[in-house]
Coordinates of all heavy atoms in Angstrom, one line a residue:
E1 N 104.5 198.7 -97.4 CA 105.6 199.1 -96.7 C 106.4 197.9 -96.2 O 107.6 197.9 -96.2 CB 105.2 200.0 -95.5 CG 106.4 200.7 -94.9 CD 106.0 201.8 -93.9 OE1 105.2 202.7 -94.3 OE2 106.3 201.6 -92.8
A2 N 105.8 196.8 -95.8 CA 106.4 195.6 -95.3 C 107.3 195.0 -96.4 O 108.4 194.5 -96.2 CB 105.4 194.6 -94.8
I3 N 106.7 195.0 -97.6 CA 107.4 194.4 -98.8 C 108.7 195.3 -99.1 O 109.7 194.7 -99.3 CB 106.5 194.3 -100.0 CG1 105.4 193.3 -99.7 CG2 107.3 194.0 -101.2 CD1 104.4 193.2 -100.8
Q4 N 108.5 196.6 -99.0 CA 109.7 197.5 -99.3 C 110.8 197.2 -98.2 O 112.0 197.1 -98.6 CB 109.3 198.9 -99.3 CG 110.4 199.8 -99.6 CD 110.0 201.3 -99.6 OE1 108.9 201.7 -99.2 NE2 110.9 202.1 -100.1
S5 N 110.4 197.1 -97.0 CA 111.4 196.8 -95.9 C 112.1 195.5 -96.1 O 113.3 195.4 -96.0 CB 110.7 196.8 -94.6 OG 110.2 198.1 -94.2
L6 N 111.3 194.5 -96.6 CA 111.9 193.2 -96.8 C 112.9 193.3 -98.0 O 114.0 192.8 -97.9 CB 110.8 192.2 -97.1 CG 111.3 190.8 -97.5 CD1 112.1 190.2 -96.4 CD2 110.1 189.9 -97.9
M7 N 112.5 194.0 -99.1 CA 113.4 194.1 -100.2 C 114.7 194.9 -99.8 O 115.8 194.5 -100.2 CB 112.7 194.9 -101.3 CG 111.6 194.1 -102.0 SD 112.1 192.6 -102.8 CE 112.9 193.4 -104.2
L8 N 114.6 195.9 -99.0 CA 115.8 196.7 -98.6 C 116.7 195.8 -97.7 O 117.9 196.0 -97.7 CB 115.3 198.0 -97.9 CG 114.7 199.0 -98.8 CD1 114.2 200.2 -98.0 CD2 115.6 199.5 -99.9
S9 N 116.1 194.9 -97.0 CA 116.9 194.1 -96.1 C 117.7 193.0 -96.8 O 118.6 192.4 -96.2 CB 116.0 193.4 -95.0 OG 115.2 192.4 -95.6
V10 N 117.3 192.6 -98.0 CA 118.0 191.6 -98.8 C 118.7 192.0 -100.0 O 119.5 191.3 -100.6 CB 117.0 190.4 -99.1 CG1 116.5 189.7 -97.9 CG2 115.9 190.9 -100.0
N11 N 118.5 193.3 -100.4 CA 119.2 193.8 -101.6 C 120.2 194.9 -101.2 O 119.8 195.9 -100.7 CB 118.2 194.5 -102.6 CG 117.3 193.4 -103.2 OD1 117.8 192.5 -103.8 ND2 116.0 193.6 -103.1
P12 N 121.5 194.6 -101.3 CA 122.5 195.5 -100.8 C 122.5 196.8 -101.6 O 122.3 196.8 -102.8 CB 123.8 194.7 -101.0 CG 123.5 193.7 -102.0 CD 122.1 193.4 -101.9
V13 N 122.8 197.9 -101.0 CA 123.0 199.2 -101.6 C 124.4 199.2 -102.3 O 124.5 199.7 -103.4 CB 123.0 200.3 -100.5 CG1 123.3 201.6 -101.1 CG2 121.6 200.4 -99.9
L14 N 125.3 198.5 -101.7 CA 126.7 198.5 -102.2 C 127.1 197.2 -102.6 O 126.9 196.2 -101.9 CB 127.6 199.0 -101.1 CG 129.1 199.2 -101.5 CD1 129.6 200.5 -101.0 CD2 129.9 198.0 -101.1
I15 N 127.6 197.1 -103.8 CA 128.2 195.8 -104.4 C 129.6 196.2 -104.8 O 129.8 197.1 -105.6 CB 127.3 195.3 -105.6 CG1 125.9 195.0 -105.1 CG2 128.0 194.1 -106.2 CD1 125.0 194.8 -106.3
P16 N 130.6 195.4 -104.4 CA 132.0 195.7 -104.8 C 132.1 195.4 -106.3 O 132.5 194.3 -106.7 CB 132.9 194.9 -104.0 CG 132.0 193.9 -103.3 CD 130.6 194.4 -103.4
R17 N 131.8 196.4 -107.1 CA 131.8 196.2 -108.6 C 133.2 196.2 -109.1 O 134.2 196.7 -108.5 CB 131.0 197.3 -109.3 CG 129.6 197.3 -108.8 CD 128.9 198.6 -109.4 NE 127.5 198.7 -108.8 CZ 126.4 198.3 -109.5 NH1 126.5 197.7 -110.6 NH2 125.2 198.5 -108.9
T18 N 133.4 195.6 -110.3 CA 134.7 195.5 -111.0 C 135.4 196.8 -111.1 O 136.6 196.9 -110.8 CB 134.5 194.8 -112.3 OG1 133.9 193.6 -112.2 CG2 135.9 194.6 -113.0
H19 N 134.8 197.9 -111.5 CA 135.5 199.1 -111.7 C 136.0 199.7 -110.4 O 137.0 200.4 -110.3 CB 134.6 200.1 -112.4 CG 133.4 200.7 -111.6 ND1 132.2 200.0 -111.5 CD2 133.2 201.8 -111.0 CE1 131.4 200.7 -110.7 NE2 132.0 201.8 -110.4
L20 N 135.3 199.4 -109.3 CA 135.7 199.9 -108.0 C 137.0 199.1 -107.5 O 137.9 199.6 -107.0 CB 134.6 199.7 -106.9 CG 133.4 200.6 -107.2 CD1 132.3 200.2 -106.2 CD2 133.7 202.0 -107.1
L21 N 136.9 197.8 -107.7 CA 138.1 196.9 -107.4 C 139.3 197.3 -108.2 O 140.4 197.4 -107.7 CB 137.7 195.5 -107.5 CG 136.5 195.0 -106.6 CD1 136.1 193.5 -107.0 CD2 136.9 195.1 -105.2
Q22 N 139.1 197.6 -109.5 CA 140.2 198.0 -110.4 C 140.8 199.3 -109.9 O 142.0 199.4 -109.9 CB 139.7 198.1 -111.8 CG 140.8 198.5 -112.8 CD 141.9 197.4 -112.8 OE1 141.6 196.2 -112.8 NE2 143.1 197.9 -112.9
R23 N 139.9 200.2 -109.5 CA 140.4 201.5 -109.0 C 141.2 201.3 -107.7 O 142.3 201.9 -107.5 CB 139.3 202.4 -108.8 CG 139.7 203.8 -108.5 CD 138.5 204.7 -108.6 NE 138.8 206.1 -108.4 CZ 138.0 207.1 -108.5 NH1 136.8 206.9 -108.8 NH2 138.4 208.4 -108.3
A24 N 140.8 200.4 -106.9 CA 141.5 200.1 -105.6 C 142.9 199.5 -105.9 O 143.9 199.9 -105.3 CB 140.7 199.2 -104.7
I25 N 142.9 198.7 -106.9 CA 144.2 198.0 -107.3 C 145.1 199.1 -107.9 O 146.3 199.1 -107.6 CB 143.9 196.9 -108.3 CG1 143.2 195.7 -107.6 CG2 145.2 196.5 -109.0 CD1 142.7 194.7 -108.6
E26 N 144.6 200.0 -108.7 CA 145.4 201.0 -109.3 C 146.0 201.9 -108.3 O 147.2 202.3 -108.3 CB 144.6 201.8 -110.3 CG 144.3 201.0 -111.6 CD 143.3 201.7 -112.5 OE1 142.8 202.8 -112.2 OE2 142.9 201.1 -113.5
H27 N 145.2 202.3 -107.3 CA 145.7 203.2 -106.2 C 146.7 202.4 -105.4 O 147.8 203.0 -105.0 CB 144.5 203.7 -105.3 CG 143.7 204.8 -105.9 ND1 143.9 206.1 -105.6 CD2 142.8 204.8 -106.9 CE1 143.1 206.8 -106.3 NE2 142.4 206.1 -107.1
A28 N 146.4 201.2 -105.1 CA 147.3 200.4 -104.2 C 148.7 200.2 -104.9 O 149.7 200.1 -104.2 CB 146.7 199.1 -103.9
S29 N 148.7 200.0 -106.2 CA 149.9 199.8 -106.9 C 150.8 201.1 -106.8 O 152.0 201.0 -107.1 CB 149.7 199.5 -108.4 OG 149.2 200.6 -109.1
K30 N 150.3 202.2 -106.4 CA 151.0 203.4 -106.2 C 151.2 203.7 -104.7 O 151.4 204.8 -104.3 CB 150.3 204.6 -106.9 CG 150.2 204.5 -108.4 CD 149.3 205.6 -108.9 CE 149.1 205.3 -110.4 NZ 148.0 206.2 -111.0
N31 N 151.0 202.6 -103.9 CA 151.2 202.7 -102.4 C 150.1 203.6 -101.8 O 150.4 204.2 -100.7 CB 152.6 203.1 -102.0 CG 153.5 202.0 -102.3 OD1 153.2 200.8 -102.1 ND2 154.7 202.3 -102.7
D32 N 149.0 203.8 -102.4 CA 147.9 204.6 -101.9 C 146.8 203.6 -101.6 O 146.1 203.2 -102.5 CB 147.4 205.7 -102.8 CG 146.2 206.4 -102.3 OD1 145.8 206.2 -101.2 OD2 145.7 207.3 -103.1
F33 N 146.6 203.2 -100.3 CA 145.6 202.2 -99.9 C 144.3 202.8 -99.4 O 143.5 202.1 -99.0 CB 146.3 201.3 -98.9 CG 147.5 200.6 -99.5 CD1 148.7 201.0 -99.2 CD2 147.3 199.4 -100.2 CE1 149.9 200.4 -99.7 CE2 148.4 198.8 -100.8 CZ 149.7 199.2 -100.5
S34 N 144.2 204.1 -99.5 CA 143.0 204.8 -98.9 C 141.7 204.4 -99.6 O 140.7 204.2 -99.0 CB 143.2 206.3 -98.9 OG 143.4 206.8 -100.3
F35 N 141.8 204.3 -100.9 CA 140.6 203.9 -101.7 C 140.2 202.5 -101.3 O 139.0 202.2 -101.0 CB 140.8 204.0 -103.2 CG 139.5 203.9 -104.0 CD1 138.7 205.0 -104.2 CD2 139.1 202.6 -104.4 CE1 137.5 204.8 -105.0 CE2 137.9 202.5 -105.2 CZ 137.1 203.6 -105.4
A36 N 141.1 201.6 -101.2 CA 140.9 200.2 -100.9 C 140.3 200.1 -99.4 O 139.4 199.3 -99.2 CB 142.1 199.3 -101.0
E37 N 140.9 200.9 -98.5 CA 140.4 200.9 -97.2 C 139.0 201.4 -97.1 O 138.2 200.8 -96.4 CB 141.3 201.7 -96.3 CG 142.7 201.1 -96.1 CD 143.7 202.0 -95.4 OE1 143.4 203.2 -95.2 OE2 144.8 201.5 -95.1
D38 N 138.7 202.5 -97.8 CA 137.3 203.0 -97.8 C 136.4 202.0 -98.4 O 135.3 201.8 -97.8 CB 137.3 204.3 -98.6 CG 138.0 205.5 -97.9 OD1 138.3 205.4 -96.7 OD2 138.3 206.5 -98.6
L39 N 136.7 201.4 -99.5 CA 135.8 200.4 -100.1 C 135.6 199.2 -99.2 O 134.5 198.7 -99.0 CB 136.4 200.0 -101.4 CG 135.6 199.0 -102.3 CD1 134.2 199.6 -102.5 CD2 136.3 198.6 -103.6
T40 N 136.7 198.8 -98.5 CA 136.6 197.6 -97.6 C 135.7 198.0 -96.4 O 134.8 197.2 -96.1 CB 138.0 197.3 -97.0 OG1 138.8 196.9 -98.1 CG2 137.9 196.2 -96.0
N41 N 135.8 199.2 -95.9 CA 134.9 199.6 -94.8 C 133.5 199.7 -95.2 O 132.6 199.3 -94.5 CB 135.4 200.9 -94.2 CG 136.7 200.8 -93.4 OD1 137.0 199.7 -92.8 ND2 137.5 201.8 -93.4
A42 N 133.3 200.2 -96.4 CA 131.9 200.4 -96.9 C 131.3 199.0 -97.2 O 130.1 198.8 -97.0 CB 131.9 201.2 -98.2
S43 N 132.1 198.0 -97.7 CA 131.7 196.7 -98.0 C 131.2 195.9 -96.7 O 130.5 194.9 -96.8 CB 132.7 195.9 -98.7 OG 133.0 196.5 -100.0
K44 N 131.7 196.4 -95.6 CA 131.2 195.8 -94.3 C 129.8 196.1 -94.0 O 129.2 195.5 -93.1 CB 132.2 196.2 -93.2 CG 133.6 195.6 -93.4 CD 134.5 196.1 -92.3 CE 135.9 195.6 -92.5 NZ 136.9 196.2 -91.5
K45 N 129.3 197.1 -94.7 CA 127.9 197.6 -94.4 C 127.1 197.7 -95.7 O 126.7 198.8 -96.1 CB 127.9 198.9 -93.7 CG 128.7 199.0 -92.4 CD 128.7 200.3 -91.7 CE 129.7 201.2 -92.4 NZ 129.8 202.6 -91.8
P46 N 127.0 196.6 -96.5 CA 126.4 196.7 -97.8 C 124.9 197.1 -97.8 O 124.4 197.6 -98.9 CB 126.6 195.3 -98.3 CG 126.6 194.4 -97.1 CD 127.3 195.2 -96.1
F47 N 124.2 197.0 -96.7 CA 122.8 197.3 -96.7 C 122.5 198.7 -96.1 O 121.4 199.1 -96.0 CB 122.0 196.3 -95.9 CG 122.1 194.9 -96.5 CD1 123.0 194.0 -96.0 CD2 121.3 194.5 -97.5 CE1 123.1 192.7 -96.6 CE2 121.3 193.3 -98.1 CZ 122.3 192.4 -97.6
S48 N 123.6 199.4 -95.7 CA 123.5 200.7 -95.1 C 123.0 201.8 -96.1 O 123.6 201.9 -97.2 CB 124.8 201.2 -94.5 OG 124.7 202.5 -94.0
S49 N 122.0 202.5 -95.7 CA 121.5 203.6 -96.6 C 122.5 204.7 -96.7 O 122.3 205.6 -97.5 CB 120.1 204.1 -96.1 OG 120.2 204.6 -94.8
E50 N 123.5 204.7 -95.8 CA 124.6 205.6 -95.8 C 125.2 205.7 -97.2 O 125.7 206.8 -97.6 CB 125.6 205.2 -94.8 CG 126.9 205.9 -94.8 CD 127.9 205.4 -93.7 OE1 127.5 204.5 -92.9 OE2 129.0 205.8 -93.7
Y51 N 125.2 204.6 -97.9 CA 125.8 204.5 -99.2 C 124.9 204.6 -100.4 O 125.3 204.5 -101.6 CB 126.7 203.3 -99.4 CG 127.8 203.3 -98.4 CD1 127.8 202.6 -97.2 CD2 128.9 204.1 -98.6 CE1 128.8 202.6 -96.3 CE2 130.0 204.2 -97.7 CZ 129.9 203.4 -96.5 OH 130.9 203.5 -95.6
D52 N 123.6 204.9 -100.1 CA 122.6 205.1 -101.2 C 123.0 206.3 -102.0 O 123.0 207.4 -101.4 CB 121.2 205.2 -100.6 CG 120.1 205.0 -101.6 OD1 120.4 204.5 -102.7 OD2 119.0 205.4 -101.3
G53 N 123.3 206.1 -103.3 CA 123.6 207.3 -104.1 C 125.1 207.6 -104.0 O 125.6 208.5 -104.8
H54 N 125.8 207.0 -103.2 CA 127.3 207.2 -103.0 C 128.0 206.6 -104.2 O 127.5 205.7 -104.9 CB 127.8 206.5 -101.7 CG 129.2 206.8 -101.4 ND1 130.2 206.1 -102.0 CD2 129.8 207.6 -100.5 CE1 131.4 206.5 -101.5 NE2 131.1 207.5 -100.6
F55 N 129.2 207.2 -104.5 CA 130.0 206.7 -105.6 C 130.1 205.2 -105.6 O 130.1 204.5 -106.7 CB 131.4 207.4 -105.6 CG 132.3 206.9 -106.6 CD1 132.2 207.2 -107.9 CD2 133.4 206.0 -106.2 CE1 133.2 206.7 -108.8 CE2 134.3 205.5 -107.1 CZ 134.2 205.9 -108.4
F56 N 130.3 204.6 -104.4 CA 130.5 203.2 -104.3 C 129.3 202.4 -104.7 O 129.4 201.2 -105.1 CB 130.9 202.8 -102.9 CG 132.3 203.1 -102.5 CD1 132.6 203.2 -101.1 CD2 133.3 203.4 -103.4 CE1 133.8 203.6 -100.7 CE2 134.5 203.8 -103.0 CZ 134.8 203.8 -101.7
S57 N 128.1 203.0 -104.7 CA 126.9 202.2 -105.0 C 126.4 202.4 -106.4 O 125.4 201.8 -106.9 CB 125.7 202.7 -104.1 OG 125.3 204.0 -104.4
L58 N 127.2 203.2 -107.2 CA 126.8 203.5 -108.6 C 127.5 202.6 -109.6 O 128.7 202.3 -109.4 CB 127.0 204.9 -108.9 CG 126.3 205.9 -108.0 CD1 126.7 207.4 -108.3 CD2 124.8 205.8 -108.1
P59 N 126.9 202.2 -110.7 CA 127.6 201.5 -111.7 C 128.6 202.4 -112.4 O 128.6 203.6 -112.3 CB 126.5 201.1 -112.7 CG 125.4 202.0 -112.5 CD 125.5 202.5 -111.0
D60 N 129.6 201.8 -113.1 CA 130.6 202.5 -113.8 C 129.9 203.4 -114.9 O 129.1 202.9 -115.6 CB 131.5 201.5 -114.5 CG 132.7 202.1 -115.2 OD1 132.9 203.3 -115.1 OD2 133.5 201.4 -115.9
E61 N 130.3 204.6 -114.9 CA 129.7 205.6 -115.8 C 130.0 205.2 -117.3 O 129.2 205.5 -118.2 CB 130.2 207.0 -115.6 CG 131.7 207.2 -115.8 CD 132.2 208.5 -115.4 OE1 131.8 209.1 -114.4 OE2 133.1 209.0 -116.1
H62 N 131.0 204.5 -117.5 CA 131.3 204.0 -118.9 C 130.6 202.8 -119.3 O 130.6 202.4 -120.4 CB 132.9 203.8 -119.1 CG 133.6 205.0 -118.8 ND1 133.6 206.2 -119.5 CD2 134.5 205.3 -117.8 CE1 134.4 207.1 -119.0 NE2 134.9 206.6 -117.9
A63 N 129.9 202.1 -118.3 CA 129.2 200.9 -118.6 C 127.7 201.1 -118.7 O 127.0 200.2 -118.6 CB 129.5 199.9 -117.5
S64 N 127.3 202.3 -118.9 CA 125.9 202.6 -119.0 C 125.1 201.9 -120.1 O 123.9 201.7 -120.0 CB 125.6 204.1 -119.1 OG 126.2 204.6 -120.3
N65 N 125.8 201.5 -121.1 CA 125.2 200.8 -122.2 C 125.3 199.3 -122.1 O 124.9 198.6 -123.0 CB 125.8 201.3 -123.6 CG 125.4 202.7 -123.9 OD1 124.3 203.2 -123.5 ND2 126.3 203.4 -124.5
T66 N 125.9 198.8 -121.1 CA 126.1 197.4 -120.9 C 124.8 196.8 -120.5 O 124.0 197.2 -119.7 CB 127.1 197.1 -119.7 OG1 128.3 197.8 -120.0 CG2 127.3 195.7 -119.5
K67 N 124.5 195.7 -121.3 CA 123.2 195.0 -121.1 C 123.4 193.8 -120.2 O 122.5 193.4 -119.5 CB 122.6 194.5 -122.4 CG 122.4 195.6 -123.4 CD 121.4 196.6 -123.0 CE 121.1 197.7 -124.0 NZ 120.8 198.9 -123.5
L68 N 124.6 193.2 -120.2 CA 124.8 192.1 -119.3 C 126.3 192.1 -119.0 O 127.1 192.3 -119.8 CB 124.5 190.8 -120.1 CG 124.8 189.5 -119.4 CD1 123.9 189.3 -118.2 CD2 124.6 188.3 -120.4
S69 N 126.6 191.8 -117.7 CA 127.9 191.7 -117.3 C 128.1 190.5 -116.5 O 127.4 190.2 -115.6 CB 128.3 193.0 -116.4 OG 129.6 192.8 -115.9
C70 N 129.1 189.7 -116.8 CA 129.4 188.4 -116.1 C 130.7 188.6 -115.5 O 131.7 188.9 -116.1 CB 129.4 187.3 -117.1 SG 127.8 187.0 -117.9
S71 N 130.8 188.4 -114.2 CA 132.1 188.5 -113.4 C 132.6 187.1 -113.2 O 131.8 186.1 -113.0 CB 131.8 189.2 -112.1 OG 131.4 190.5 -112.4
S72 N 133.9 187.0 -113.1 CA 134.5 185.7 -112.8 C 135.1 185.7 -111.5 O 135.3 186.7 -110.8 CB 135.5 185.3 -113.9 OG 136.5 186.3 -114.0

């Protein structure tokens, strides 16, 4: 149990993934900043179990076959 607690304390539930940032940009380009604001607020609590299983914590559904992803 101690090891699990330690792992949960250093591995974020939420990572601002590329598809989420792209979606925020797309919404913002239409003057809808609600998605960006929600993502920003969620990113302030990356270790919160509140986002476990939440849309923000899941990989892109179209990237399920991706074996390696490098971000710049």
Side-chain angles (χ1 to χ4, degrees):
E1 191 171 301
I3 292 173
Q4 183 180 13
S5 292
L6 177 61
M7 292 295 290
L8 291 173
S9 73
V10 295
N11 289 307
V13 172
L14 185 138
I15 299 169
R17 299 173 186 264
T18 302
H19 70 282
L20 297 172
L21 298 172
Q22 182 62 42
R23 191 169 181 174
I25 291 167
E26 289 169 2
H27 283 259
S29 70
K30 298 174 186 169
N31 289 323
D32 176 5
F33 299 96
S34 60
F35 190 89
E37 289 170 357
D38 291 345
L39 183 58
T40 299
N41 289 332
S43 296
K44 292 176 182 177
K45 303 181 279 184
F47 298 97
S48 173
S49 61
E50 168 183 356
Y51 295 101
D52 193 17
H54 185 277
F55 173 76
F56 288 159
S57 69
L58 303 175
D60 184 6
E61 63 185 41
H62 301 294
S64 62
N65 292 326
T66 302
K67 303 295 182 213
L68 176 66
S69 175
C70 298
S71 299
S72 56

